[in-house]
Amino acid sequence: MSVCSLPEQFSFLEPFAAVWGDLHSQDERYLKRQSLSYGELEAFHAVLAHRLEEVFSYLDGFDPNALPEPEARLFRTVLGLTEASQAVEIFGQPRVPYAPYPHSVKMEWVGYEPH
Amino acid sequence: MADPINIKSHMTKAADMGLANGQVPVEYYTSPEIYAREQAMIFRRAWLMVGRIEEVPGPGDFMVRDVPPLDARIVITHGKDGLIRAFHNACSHRGVALVCQERGNALTFRCPYHAWVYGVDGSLRAIPSEEDFPHVDKAKNGLAQIHLDVWNGFIFLNFADQPEVTLHEFLAGLDTMLDGAPFGQFPFYLQVTDEIDCNWKNLVNAFNEGYHVAILHQKTLRPAVIPKENPYLHYLDIKHFGPHSAGTVQRNFDYNPNVPTLSWVYAQMLPTSAPDKQAIAEGRAGFYEHPGINRLKIPNFGTETITIFPNISIQPLANGYLFYQFWPLSHNRMRTEVRIYGRHAPKNLREEFAMANTLAATRDVVVEDMAMSRLQQIGLQSGGKKVQNFGENEPLLRMFTRDYEAYLAGGGLTPRHADAAE
């Protein structure tokens, strides 16, 4: 792991960037969520969910189409919460009940290049 | 304040629709022979929806689509003359599926095998070493065209040599009721595609009743949609048009997610399904204003769940609509395609996060339905049960079965109530 992969003020997210920061699609994030323990998802959620506004206030200062790598990595890490929060806020467990495991689902944004 | 609506009196029961077929053979869901009959008698005869005109907005725009039950690979093009056409993706020379991009813009299509060239209107333009094909009349050897028609921006195909009815006759009045419904206001979409081991009709049925929502979707949908006065989410005021239908569904307007991520998402950009109370109050909430939607004018209107035979479910919502299509791949494997339609692509990172969150949440609901349908298939195939039981509160399952049987028997396509619902 690089010494400062995230913008410095968000270094508290470094352990979670190691998990989520290199994932580039929603399906990769969905698969990661399925593979983690509930405790790991809860820990990520506990650190980040109440600080979303702080993260996005910072990211508002950048052109979304030209994010420097530390900010892009921060955003990819934060996108991991879209999956972790489903586990923590909705299901109270990592996986959708009764679903196959591992379960890959094709998800496409048509006419937009997501981060 | 207006008198409260008596919700119970609007819960359409099977008996109200004259549907006494409460037991349906399991073999419809497990038999390869019956699936072969579905391919011939339903998918080769019905008009099948394959997309929206916004997907091919300008001249030269094209897209490729699969129609799995017919093993068909289709190219849909927007011609220079403004016409939208559909063709089988097959070169007239030796059959190569020549259009290999999923979507794009082109002046011509060139076969990568021997460079036969076609216009986007399907005409055969050039044959290299043409003198060796004296028996091939270019004027008669364009791409093989498929019957196509458009209703309210939705593109339908018909694979019969000669369609038995027009698209308008096929839609049998559903089109009239929903004419002008503003689907075109929501051109942007995210697509979820998942395949699973079950019969395609398991999913059709899941979207045709609300009875399961409080149980299967207890963690996902239940808090947001199940109202106190309708605990089994009975569809209200069912309108039916030939084999197609629409039923009104409520939701909880006082739902407050009260969890940090979802609350933050709601503050950025409401999910597709969440009512935009301000827009409703100001009369600019898209589908809410349409006279064919929420005829009862119930105040906690959630969606009108619209079923188009054989394999489409559409749910107009406050901030867009959800589109579901259920394709059989065999008698016991199927593909669900879900599209989450909204007004526009994300304009900033906040909106991208909010949409990604809605994507994950919508997908998880569909995964619940897919997972349960797989367990259902295991049970059905085990062989101990000869029938499924469809309740009085599952009228649309009985109606689908009635029309499905009519199609398999060679009928089903005569518009029965072209001008009247109920």
Side-chain angles (χ1 to χ4, degrees):
Chain A
M1 195 168 71
S2 59
V3 182
C4 81
S5 77
L6 297 176
E8 202 182 337
Q9 69 195 91
F10 297 104
S11 58
F12 66 94
L13 287 171
E14 285 293 353
F16 306 103
V19 177
W20 302 95
D22 295 318
L23 306 182
H24 289 262
S25 73
Q26 196 71 27
D27 189 34
E28 288 176 329
R29 294 178 194 114
Y30 177 48
L31 287 164
K32 177 62 73 180
R33 157 189 161 194
Q34 296 166 46
S35 73
L36 296 176
S37 72
Y38 189 66
E40 289 169 302
L41 292 162
E42 223 176 5
F44 178 42
H45 180 267
V47 165
L48 178 58
H50 289 278
R51 299 179 71 166
L52 280 170
E53 188 52 40
E54 181 185 335
V55 172
F56 281 93
S57 295
Y58 172 79
L59 288 174
D60 284 345
F62 295 85
D63 175 358
N65 298 314
L67 286 182
E69 181 49 27
E71 282 70 24
R73 188 172 170 81
L74 171 65
F75 186 52
R76 289 194 301 270
T77 302
V78 170
L79 282 171
L81 189 64
T82 62
E83 293 294 343
S85 70
Q86 280 294 109
V88 175
E89 297 185 1
I90 306 297
F91 288 103
Q93 63 181 60
R95 300 175 199 163
V96 178
Y98 311 108
Y101 171 77
H103 183 220
S104 173
V105 173
K106 189 173 170 189
M107 288 172 274
E108 301 160 274
W109 300 62
V110 178
Y112 181 78
E113 199 61 52
H115 287 82
Chain B
M1 204 174 149
D3 288 340
I5 294 163
N6 181 354
I7 290 298
K8 208 162 180 185
S9 72
H10 295 291
M11 294 179 179
T12 312
K13 300 284 182 187
D16 302 332
M17 295 168 66
L19 294 163
N21 55 338
Q23 297 201 313
V24 169
V26 162
E27 66 171 349
Y28 291 177
Y29 295 76
T30 57
S31 157
E33 291 74 28
I34 289 177
Y35 174 56
R37 196 151 178 85
E38 292 174 0
Q39 291 172 289
M41 303 306 286
I42 296 176
F43 289 96
R44 206 166 281 286
R45 293 170 66 223
W47 286 88
L48 305 174
M49 199 190 281
V50 290
R52 294 272 315 162
I53 54 172
E54 294 88 6
E55 296 175 72
V56 284
D61 289 338
F62 68 88
M63 61 176 169
V64 170
R65 279 279 183 280
D66 276 336
V67 180
L70 300 177
D71 288 332
R73 172 54 70 115
I74 305 308
V75 189
I76 295 165
T77 69
H78 186 139
K80 271 188 287 190
D81 53 8
L83 290 180
I84 294 178
R85 298 178 176 87
F87 307 99
H88 287 281
N89 189 6
C91 180
S92 304
H93 177 212
R94 280 160 57 193
V96 163
L98 70 163
V99 182
C100 300
Q101 269 177 279
E102 285 300 304
R103 53 177 65 83
N105 183 279
L107 293 170
T108 56
F109 299 124
R110 179 177 175 275
C111 181
Y113 200 177
H114 304 90
W116 288 35
V117 175
Y118 301 84
V120 291
D121 62 357
S123 60
L124 176 56
R125 299 282 174 83
I127 302 176
S129 191
E130 190 170 352
E131 64 275 18
D132 290 315
F133 292 87
H135 57 300
V136 175
D137 178 354
K138 287 219 292 286
K140 292 179 180 162
N141 281 276
L143 300 175
Q145 198 161 350
I146 301 156
H147 301 282
L148 178 150
D149 204 351
V150 175
W151 164 69
N152 206 350
F154 291 104
I155 300 170
F156 289 77
L157 303 182
N158 190 299
F159 286 82
D161 293 335
Q162 246 348 293
E164 293 166 58
V165 295
T166 64
L167 176 61
H168 176 64
E169 289 167 329
F170 173 76
L171 290 172
L174 181 78
D175 52 340
T176 310
M177 182 180 77
L178 294 172
D179 253 348
F183 295 100
Q185 284 181 13
F186 306 96
F188 179 73
Y189 70 93
L190 304 169
Q191 180 159 327
V192 177
T193 309
D194 192 23
E195 295 183 2
I196 208 153
D197 289 327
C198 76
N199 188 274
W200 63 285
K201 299 188 294 298
N202 293 5
L203 270 296
V204 172
N205 289 344
F207 282 76
N208 263 334
E209 49 90 356
Y211 182 30
H212 73 284
V213 172
I215 315 301
L216 175 60
H217 303 302
Q218 57 182 299
K219 299 279 181 68
T220 47
L221 294 180
R222 180 182 184 163
V225 309
I226 302 286
K228 279 193 285 291
E229 66 274 21
N230 190 357
Y232 292 105
L233 202 66
H234 210 304
Y235 289 3
L236 308 175
D237 184 32
I238 289 177
K239 286 76 65 178
H240 49 97
F241 308 88
H244 321 296
S245 63
T248 303
V249 184
Q250 299 153 282
R251 69 179 292 118
N252 280 328
F253 268 50
D254 53 1
Y255 169 66
N256 175 356
N258 210 22
V259 280
T261 311
L262 199 50
S263 299
W264 189 86
V265 163
Y266 268 57
Q268 306 310 309
M269 188 178 202
L270 284 172
T272 327
S273 58
D276 183 341
K277 293 172 197 167
Q278 195 179 340
I280 294 166
E282 292 168 9
R284 51 175 180 81
F287 294 106
Y288 281 60
E289 319 304 327
H290 192 277
I293 289 171
N294 187 19
R295 294 191 315 188
L296 300 175
K297 302 285 174 217
I298 52 170
N300 56 345
F301 171 72
T303 187
E304 199 73 36
T305 187
I306 298 162
T307 302
I308 300 181
F309 189 87
N311 67 339
I312 299 280
S313 179
I314 303 174
Q315 300 174 349
L317 296 155
N319 302 298
Y321 64 102
L322 294 171
F323 174 96
Y324 304 87
Q325 191 156 26
F326 312 109
W327 290 115
L329 303 174
S330 73
H331 67 288
N332 62 3
R333 189 159 177 83
M334 64 85 61
R335 175 187 303 158
T336 295
E337 295 174 357
V338 185
R339 292 178 173 198
I340 308 164
Y341 279 94
R343 288 186 198 275
H344 53 73
K347 291 182 200 149
N348 50 48
L349 298 179
R350 291 169 182 264
E351 290 191 353
E352 183 180 328
F353 182 92
M355 282 195 199
N357 200 81
T358 296
L359 172 61
T362 306
R363 180 210 57 222
D364 280 356
V365 175
V366 177
V367 168
E368 289 180 317
D369 287 310
M370 298 287 273
M372 197 52 50
S373 295
R374 175 174 152 267
L375 294 184
Q376 181 183 19
Q377 191 70 22
I378 291 169
L380 294 175
Q381 289 187 182
S382 185
K385 296 291 179 188
K386 301 301 175 203
V387 296
Q388 290 191 60
N389 288 292
F390 295 162
E392 283 292 331
N393 59 348
E394 298 172 316
L396 293 176
L397 279 60
R398 296 190 189 189
M399 188 181 113
F400 178 92
T401 305
R402 176 197 69 191
D403 297 311
Y404 167 88
E405 289 173 340
Y407 265 79
L408 292 192
L413 277 162
T414 311
R416 271 172 304 201
H417 352 251
D419 51 0
E422 298 182 318

